[in-house]
Amino acid sequence: MYRPVQEYIVVGDQLCTSADVKSDAGNRAFRWLTLRRASDTILNMFPSNDIKNPLSVRSVCAVIYKAGLISKPQAEQILLKGEALKKKLEKKTDSKNQVFSPGGKGTDFLSIVDVIASLNLERADDPSLKLEESLIYEALAKAWDFPFKKIDPLKLDLNIVTATIPRTFALRHLVLPIAVKDGTLTVATPNPFNVEALDDISHATLLKTKTVVSPKSDILKLIEEFFGFKRSISEAEHQFAAPLVDLGNLEQYVRLKTSDELPSTDQHIVNAVNHLFNYAFEQRASDIHIEPKRNISRVRMRIDGILHPVYELPKTVHSAVVSRIKTLSRMDMAEKRRPQDGRIKTEKEGVEVEIRVSTIPVAFGEKVVMRIMDPEIVFQDLEKLGFSPTDFIRYNRFINMPHCIILVCGPTGSGKSTTLYSTLKSLASPEVNITTVEDPIEMVHESFNQIGVQPQAGVTFSTILRNILRQDPDIIMLGEMRDLETAENAVQAALTGHLVLSTLHTNDSASSITRLLDLGVPPFLMQATLIGVLAQRLVRKVCLHCQEIFEMDSTELKEMGIDVGTDGIAHLHRGKGCLHCRGTGYLGRTGIFEVLPYTESIKKLTTPSADLSAILSQAKKEGMVSMRENAVRKLIDGSTTYQEVLRVTWEQ
């Protein structure tokens, strides 16, 4: 805890505490200063620009105070307690995480910026936000007249980062090469005044250097990730070196392995795969793709629904990486001709994370796709999924019915699993028996009794339903209603007093009705059991950190198929691109929904020759809001952009 500012007074040029003054009878006559006067006096002691020691307590405090990031009382307390807090933080810091001084003196180093960032202070310009390390360095860069760069790891070239300077040099001086253009090497560092190290880089590379300021924690993380990953891959490439004859699954090139080749247990491959997982967690990736090509192995990650290229690995290590992943997910390493599925359970920041793994043979080897199932994303409060108030009320009415069928529709990657799991979580209680049938089990939850489909053992969606009904369930969730037998058993479960939730792969809610008819479900059984249909998609959200308002003519929007409900100029939101969203303007995703209640009037339209357009028209008359209309509402309230509306919805 800090000592209150009022306990300090200024005596001449000396800063004294109230205890110091009161202990000396001769000092009783000194006048106490007000908080404002004391703060002003202390801040006047700050140098405006201390080039000799730009990372001193006074210099840093002066810069961020003048930038409006901290208040006078905050600046005063940092000045008074900065060095003491620094020593305290050094004691708490594990020695293996400490780094060498940016000055190159070879001593363990923590700067005052680390101390200030660790305090989690409220920003003076916006108390709702915290003072982050990147903001401090951005203010310092401006004061030092250097460009500031928040590095996007997805845009870095692995070879430029790791092949320019040694890891020990990068770590000792906290410098990181990030780009080469027109004979100039851009170097990121938290201390641009380390001229000696920058000159050494210029002499070693025979390139001019351009210095940008980046947060120290980013530099450290990237040094560890890139150099560690590169070292593991390089060592593995050397170990698994082979003649450049690789036809993947088209033909087989046979080479006898030597005794020192250990594809699945090699420590370098283990490290490389660990780096890959950690990197995916940090980048909020939902999927990892490892794709064999003729000469390379490409790694891509899906972030906010969009695939980003991340690495290009030597082809020689592809098989070893795949073998390691197969080992972790308990697949058959020897089987390379058939598709396989597996799962990995690991940990991210103290939370268990499940990874679904799928391999499939392609032209140049086995492709691996890993779906990261983060419980914080999969299990959410229903209110936070993105429902409009009206649709949320309707959907809540569905799931609180005692016995019926509820369908959730949409293509792969539209968030159906999140909606179903979040729904089951909201319904789970000690009084309710919830049983699920999934292919495969996507996320394990202790509140559910989850059954994985195993066709080889005779456990399918259709056959297991008969057994489930003898398990006294209250709620049944079917991963997919894919054939007539499954649909008929689901109908029977609903008729016998169970709430059944399932998915269908249809484009919209109305299409689900005709899809069930196409499967062969009799109309009278649908009318007796179906209560409602939910169709959904996911749109990317505008980044809150860099959003801006811009104007667009509503006529232009109407020509695109977007009716904002007004004439003239529409005020929309978009992201300019910032540190948090990697310059994309988007951060996170939200759902858009289409809730179709299966009303009496729509039941009358459910005949063997049902007309989809008639069902859709009747649903709209009864107040159904389409996905396009809900997406436009999110456009108007600033949640997303018109580009996202056009990308994921269509005009009905």
Side-chain angles (χ1 to χ4, degrees):
M1 295 291 291
Y2 288 117
R3 187 176 297 170
V5 169
Q6 289 90 337
E7 293 186 4
Y8 293 91
I9 63 170
V10 176
V11 181
D13 293 330
Q14 301 297 318
L15 187 70
C16 303
T17 67
S18 57
D20 294 333
V21 175
K22 291 177 181 178
S23 64
D24 187 347
N27 287 333
R28 292 181 185 276
F30 285 111
R31 180 169 54 90
W32 287 87
L33 300 179
T34 61
L35 171 60
R36 180 178 298 277
R37 177 82 177 275
S39 298
D40 288 342
T41 305
I42 292 171
L43 289 168
N44 287 334
M45 297 165 63
F46 291 152
S48 60
N49 192 8
D50 186 358
I51 296 299
K52 293 182 179 179
N53 193 2
L55 287 171
S56 67
V57 180
R58 292 180 177 180
S59 183
V60 172
C61 277
V63 170
I64 60 177
Y65 170 70
K66 291 179 179 179
L69 298 177
I70 59 174
S71 64
K72 290 180 180 180
Q74 288 173 327
E76 180 187 39
Q77 293 194 8
I78 293 170
L79 178 64
L80 296 173
K81 294 287 189 177
E83 291 300 328
L85 287 169
K86 181 177 171 184
K87 292 178 181 178
K88 187 176 181 180
L89 186 61
E90 285 173 347
K91 290 180 181 179
K92 290 183 179 180
T93 305
D94 190 337
S95 59
K96 69 180 181 180
N97 292 327
Q98 292 182 359
V99 298
F100 291 113
S101 164
K105 296 179 181 179
T107 57
D108 288 340
F109 175 77
L110 281 172
S111 73
I112 189 61
V113 178
D114 300 319
V115 175
I116 298 173
S118 71
L119 296 177
N120 204 27
L121 298 173
E122 293 181 353
R123 284 173 49 179
D125 57 343
D126 188 349
S128 65
L129 301 176
K130 298 298 182 182
L131 181 58
E132 299 176 350
E133 179 196 30
S134 59
L135 283 173
I136 300 173
Y137 276 108
E138 187 173 6
L140 290 172
K142 185 176 181 180
W144 295 338
D145 198 25
F146 279 94
F148 175 78
K149 176 74 173 178
K150 180 70 172 177
I151 305 172
D152 182 356
L154 298 178
K155 296 180 181 178
L156 291 183
D157 187 320
L158 181 64
N159 291 324
I160 290 177
V161 174
T162 58
T164 308
I165 59 176
R167 177 181 180 275
T168 53
F169 185 89
L171 189 58
R172 181 179 182 83
H173 297 282
L174 292 181
V175 290
L176 190 74
I178 58 174
V180 176
K181 184 177 181 180
D182 299 330
T184 300
L185 175 67
T186 301
V187 179
T189 177
N191 183 9
F193 300 100
N194 190 0
V195 179
E196 182 179 349
L198 297 170
D199 286 343
D200 289 343
I201 295 175
S202 183
H203 293 150
T205 60
L206 301 179
L207 295 170
K208 295 179 181 178
T209 58
K210 174 187 174 183
T211 307
V212 296
V213 175
S214 294
K216 175 183 164 185
S217 61
D218 289 359
I219 299 292
L220 284 171
K221 185 184 296 183
L222 291 169
I223 289 174
E224 181 62 29
E225 289 180 352
F226 276 76
F227 280 93
F229 185 75
K230 177 66 174 181
R231 183 171 63 249
S232 299
I233 290 297
S234 298
E235 294 291 339
E237 181 183 16
H238 176 73
Q239 181 171 0
F240 298 108
L244 293 177
V245 180
D246 185 3
L247 298 179
N249 289 315
L250 303 181
E251 293 182 17
Q252 183 65 38
Y253 178 83
V254 179
R255 181 175 67 89
L256 297 178
K257 298 181 183 295
T258 60
S259 59
D260 62 345
E261 290 181 326
L262 303 172
S264 62
T265 59
D266 175 70
Q267 189 62 37
H268 303 305
I269 291 297
V270 172
N271 292 336
V273 173
N274 288 344
H275 277 294
L276 202 60
F277 285 144
N278 289 329
Y279 190 65
F281 295 155
E282 291 174 0
Q283 299 302 316
R284 301 180 298 103
S286 61
D287 299 86
I288 307 172
H289 292 238
I290 304 176
E291 305 165 324
K293 304 301 179 184
R294 185 180 298 275
N295 299 317
I296 60 168
S297 177
R298 179 180 298 157
V299 179
R300 295 191 291 172
M301 294 183 183
R302 189 177 296 278
I303 303 171
D304 291 338
I306 305 297
L307 273 174
H308 298 267
V310 176
Y311 297 125
E312 287 188 355
L313 309 180
K315 185 63 180 292
T316 52
V317 305
H318 177 81
S319 295
V321 170
V322 173
S323 295
R324 173 60 181 167
I325 294 171
K326 282 184 172 181
T327 300
L328 293 173
S329 54
R330 297 184 178 182
M331 293 183 185
D332 185 353
M333 288 174 51
E335 181 57 72
K336 301 179 183 293
R337 298 169 299 173
R338 292 188 299 109
Q340 295 188 67
D341 293 308
R343 63 193 312 113
I344 301 170
K345 182 180 284 290
T346 184
E347 185 178 286
K348 183 190 78 170
E349 297 178 353
V351 179
E352 285 190 352
V353 175
E354 296 201 23
I355 302 173
R356 280 174 43 192
V357 184
S358 172
T359 65
I360 193 167
V362 294
F364 295 105
E366 284 184 283
K367 177 181 176 180
V368 180
V369 175
M370 292 174 280
R371 168 69 58 88
I372 299 173
M373 308 298 295
D374 188 339
E376 294 181 356
I377 296 175
V378 175
F379 297 105
Q380 298 186 43
D381 293 334
L382 286 176
E383 297 91 339
K384 298 179 180 179
L385 294 181
F387 285 99
S388 68
T390 302
D391 286 344
F392 182 68
I393 292 171
R394 288 176 175 172
Y395 185 65
N396 252 319
R397 188 172 69 248
F398 294 169
I399 64 178
N400 284 292
M401 294 291 289
H403 48 83
C404 61
I405 294 177
I406 302 169
L407 296 178
V408 179
C409 309
T412 301
S414 61
K416 299 189 301 297
S417 295
T418 297
T419 299
L420 284 174
Y421 275 129
S422 300
T423 300
L424 294 180
K425 178 187 174 185
S426 70
L427 296 173
S429 71
E431 296 80 24
V432 175
N433 178 17
I434 299 177
T435 303
T436 73
V437 186
E438 305 170 61
D439 183 20
I441 297 174
E442 296 194 19
M443 193 75 200
V444 176
H445 195 284
E446 292 183 356
S447 300
F448 316 149
N449 299 293
Q450 295 171 275
I451 302 169
V453 169
Q454 302 179 62
Q456 66 275 14
V459 180
T460 64
F461 282 113
S462 56
T463 60
I464 196 64
L465 266 174
R466 303 167 191 160
N467 304 94
I468 287 178
L469 294 178
R470 291 193 285 271
Q471 290 286 312
D472 187 30
D474 296 297
I475 300 172
I476 300 171
M477 191 272 277
L478 297 175
E480 184 179 352
M481 200 175 289
R482 57 179 61 169
D483 54 41
L484 176 59
E485 188 177 4
T486 303
E488 286 178 339
N489 284 317
V491 167
Q492 291 302 319
L495 287 172
T496 52
H498 303 89
L499 177 63
V500 180
L501 295 93
S502 188
T503 67
L504 268 182
H505 288 288
T506 59
N507 288 330
D508 56 32
S509 55
S511 299
S512 300
I513 297 173
T514 56
R515 172 65 175 154
L516 288 178
L517 293 172
D518 291 340
L519 286 177
V521 179
F524 73 92
L525 288 180
M526 286 178 56
Q527 294 164 2
T529 56
L530 186 64
I531 188 66
V533 183
L534 173 72
Q536 67 178 88
R537 296 291 189 277
L538 292 175
V539 293
R540 291 184 290 173
K541 294 192 295 184
V542 174
C543 176
L544 296 177
H545 300 278
C546 64
Q547 66 177 345
E548 65 176 2
I549 298 176
F550 71 102
E551 295 180 348
M552 195 167 181
D553 196 310
S554 58
T555 303
E556 186 179 352
L557 289 169
K558 284 182 181 178
E559 290 174 354
M560 298 180 190
I562 299 176
D563 185 1
V564 294
T566 59
D567 295 327
I569 299 299
H571 294 86
L572 308 178
H573 289 72
R574 64 186 174 194
K576 294 182 290 186
C578 68
L579 317 175
H580 298 85
C581 64
R582 303 183 194 86
T584 63
Y586 298 100
L587 186 62
R589 290 188 290 177
T590 186
I592 53 170
F593 300 92
E594 182 177 275
V595 182
L596 170 65
Y598 194 52
T599 61
E600 291 298 326
S601 56
I602 296 179
K603 288 179 181 179
K604 293 178 182 178
L605 297 174
T606 306
T607 62
S609 57
D611 183 3
L612 177 60
S613 60
I615 294 174
L616 185 60
S617 176
Q618 181 62 35
K620 287 187 174 182
K621 287 180 182 178
E622 296 178 355
M624 186 193 78
V625 181
S626 69
M627 278 186 286
R628 166 60 69 88
E629 292 168 335
N630 273 321
V632 171
R633 290 180 179 180
K634 290 188 180 294
L635 169 67
I636 295 171
D637 68 23
S639 299
T640 190
T641 64
Y642 73 89
Q643 292 93 336
E644 282 294 287
V645 173
L646 295 173
R647 184 177 69 88
V648 301
T649 66
W650 62 97
E651 195 170 11
Q652 293 180 325

